[in-house]
Amino acid sequence: MAVVQAGALAKIKDLLPDQIGANRTRSDEFVQNLIMLAMRQLWSMVPMLYGEQTISMVANQHGYTLDSEFVRIKRVRYADDGSDFQYHLAPATLDDFDRASRSWRTIRGIRPDLYYLLSTPGVPTASIYVYPAVASPGGAAIKVIGQRIGTTTSVVNDDVLDKFVVPYVLSLLYSTRDTRLARRFMDEARDGASELRSRFADELPTGQDRDFDGGWTK
Amino acid sequence: MNTYGDIRNTFYQMFRDSPTDQVFITTTQADNFANKGLRDMAQAAWYKDAEVDIASSATEFSLGEHIRCWRGEGTVAGTLQYMKPISKESLIQSFRRFETVTGVPRHWFLDYNRVDENVRVGIYPDPGTLTAYKFYCYTWPTPVTSAATSFELDMPDWAVAGLMYYMLWQAYLSDTKRQDLDLAAFYRDLYYEVRDLLIGASKGRMPSYPDRHKQLNLGASLRARSPEIITGTP
């Protein structure tokens, strides 16, 4: 395991000795910025990091702003008391809200059932719309769960850095010297992303746990 | 790293120039490259929605500069309700003097007789009085400028690399001593990859079903879900 920015910087310095740092060809800060560009792109491509946002309900309000760290929303849950999130909101469109009621903006309910996303998650103004709005929410809240990007101090497996981040950054650093070398490193990063995607994308085990004849599936 | 200043500085370092020296690319050029990139990504991915609230007594009016409008609501009995999109041609075909019809606003149409960059819409029938409307549009991101480098970019943070690649593509394409068409093509390919990720995230933003349960039959589920009405007219 390694801290994203510091770990990747150390690995790149190993491959480019005496070229990065104070009074060197490239500064630490510049390479760190490239590392985070690479890592944020990877977090968007590979579902390896999830986060939550708890939003307190406001009386008679449909729309709430989402955190900009989200890449994709996975599920939305609701709690009457703000802590026991046992109710599930279904994804819907504004057309579905209209089917529920033409004047859905004035309808109030015990708890919201549906949600819609305005703007792609990650845009600073992205928001979630719930229907119906609640007239007297008390301590009610929704919890939005989704794939997100991390920070400079997030911890990741070493192979994430080795397979994607390091070749990605090397590609950018070599681009001004040799475009063919840059393309070769970027191809290596793409292959690494495919490997990581196959590792992280399958949430449920498909191996022996499910197929074991003598086991619990019967 | 989500402010314009961060991405501009990294762009200059990648191009081996600086915003203070501006040997090959001025900050104005860098700003223009960035704004072109932002608009290209917005036009391809439709990643930013805007709610446009407008009150008008006219039947045709401008919504401002947006990419396209995808939903309209008009005030009916004091509340905003869905208006069905329609084409002006079908209105003309059904009744040539459709503009003389008055009533509750139930339809909206795009007016293609545009004279500028603004989206113009029309309402049918004519409510005959000052009426509040709400339109939803795919819209352009807020432009950037070197006069405000702490401005947070109006796009997902994970796609900011794409903006830098667009700027580098344009910079290496420019007729300067640093012109390098091979490198320009390299950054163009990287830009298109990030843009494709943004398109996928935007078009696929709504999960098709919750968790791994069966896809809800929303029709039946909605009927079963009749909310307890505390206020409002159904």
Side-chain angles (χ1 to χ4, degrees), chain B residues 21-81:
Chain B
D21 297 330
Q22 301 181 50
V23 176
F24 302 100
I25 299 287
T26 65
T27 52
T28 304
Q29 283 174 289
D31 294 347
N32 291 340
F33 295 157
N35 287 321
K36 266 178 68 177
L38 284 170
R39 289 176 76 91
D40 190 73
M41 282 190 275
Q43 192 164 237
W46 296 347
Y47 65 78
K48 185 177 175 186
D49 290 313
E51 278 183 280
V52 183
D53 290 301
I54 191 164
S56 177
S57 52
T59 53
E60 291 183 12
F61 43 84
S62 166
L63 296 183
E65 195 187 348
H66 302 286
I67 300 172
R68 61 182 290 179
C69 187
W70 55 269
R71 178 181 168 91
E73 296 178 12
T75 303
V76 176
T79 180
L80 284 167
Q81 292 189 13

Side-chain angles (χ1 to χ4, degrees), chain B residues 80-156:
Chain B
L80 284 167
Q81 292 189 13
Y82 172 71
M83 292 191 295
K84 190 175 176 183
I86 199 170
S87 71
K88 200 172 184 181
E89 287 67 34
S90 61
L91 277 174
I92 294 169
Q93 279 177 8
S94 52
F95 182 41
R96 277 188 296 168
R97 291 170 57 227
F98 73 88
E99 283 132 336
T100 61
V101 177
T102 60
V104 172
R106 286 296 186 194
H107 298 274
W108 67 278
F109 56 88
L110 282 173
D111 185 356
Y112 289 106
N113 298 328
R114 289 160 63 161
V115 296
D116 51 31
E117 70 282 1
N118 294 321
V119 173
R120 282 187 65 82
V121 297
I123 306 295
Y124 175 82
D126 179 1
T129 181
L130 183 70
T131 304
Y133 304 98
K134 185 187 282 281
F135 288 91
Y136 290 85
C137 303
Y138 300 122
T139 193
W140 304 107
T142 310
V144 296
T145 167
S146 289
T149 53
S150 59
F151 174 74
E152 187 180 335
L153 287 166
D154 199 5
M155 61 182 299

Side-chain angles (χ1 to χ4, degrees), chain B residues 175-193:
Chain B
D175 192 10
T176 67
K177 284 200 164 69
R178 282 269 161 85
Q179 186 184 51
D180 186 331
L181 300 182
D182 205 21
L183 208 44
F186 173 67
Y187 287 121
R188 178 203 62 204
D189 293 344
L190 293 183
Y191 163 69
Y192 279 134
E193 279 183 25

Side-chain angles (χ1 to χ4, degrees), chain A:
Chain A
M1 303 293 279
V3 173
V4 163
Q5 201 170 58
L9 183 63
K11 288 176 187 290
I12 293 167
K13 279 185 172 179
D14 286 345
L15 293 168
L16 297 174
D18 298 326
Q19 293 183 45
I20 300 171
N23 302 316
R24 306 285 186 202
T25 313
R26 301 291 194 183
S27 67
D28 278 1
E29 187 194 354
F30 171 62
V31 177
Q32 285 168 342
N33 286 341
L34 296 183
I35 290 168
M36 291 316 296
L37 284 178
M39 202 59 221
R40 288 193 176 101
Q41 189 174 327
L42 184 68
W43 274 315
S44 75
M45 295 192 297
V46 178
M48 65 171 90
L49 197 60
Y50 279 82
E52 301 174 344
Q53 180 188 358
T54 301
I55 304 172
S56 298
M57 295 279 95
V58 175
N60 307 314
Q61 184 170 312
H62 289 98
Y64 301 87
T65 305
L66 286 173
D67 281 347
S68 56
E69 285 77 30
F70 283 115
V71 177
R72 264 173 209 89
I73 304 303
K74 185 79 172 169
R75 63 186 71 96
V76 180
R77 297 198 181 268
Y78 172 86
D80 287 322
D81 56 2
S83 60
D84 184 12
F85 292 93
Q86 57 179 303
Y87 297 107
H88 189 104
L89 276 69
T93 63
L94 293 181
D95 285 348
D96 292 322
F97 290 18
D98 293 325
R99 284 192 207 102
S101 169
R102 288 203 84 143
S103 53
W104 59 266
R105 290 183 183 276
T106 60
I107 296 291
R108 300 291 175 261
I110 304 167
R111 61 179 180 271
D113 276 325
L114 307 175
Y115 76 90
Y116 177 70
L117 300 172
L118 212 60
S119 291
T120 305
V123 177
T125 52
S127 55
I128 181 170
Y129 261 64
V130 300
Y131 168 82
V134 182
S136 305
I142 58 170
K143 180 178 285 193
V144 180
I145 302 159
Q147 185 182 336
R148 71 171 180 91
I149 60 172
T151 65
T152 56
T153 53
S154 294
V155 177
V156 295
N157 300 104
D158 273 286
D159 67 323
V160 169
L161 302 180
D162 292 327
K163 285 185 163 51
F164 183 82
V165 179
V166 170
Y168 189 106
V169 174
L170 286 176
S171 169
L172 297 181
L173 293 175
Y174 277 121
S175 62
T176 51
R177 192 194 302 182
D178 185 337
T179 314
R180 280 185 307 174
L181 194 54
R183 286 187 184 278
R184 194 195 77 74
F185 276 116
M186 194 54 74
D187 286 342
E188 192 181 320
R190 290 188 189 101
D191 290 342
S194 293
E195 276 187 52
L196 292 168
R197 195 179 295 122
S198 64
R199 177 151 81 85
F200 285 99
D202 192 7
E203 292 178 23
L204 293 177
T206 54
Q208 200 168 357
D209 296 26
R210 286 190 149 230
D211 302 330
F212 184 43
D213 259 351
W216 55 275
T217 52
K218 285 192 178 163

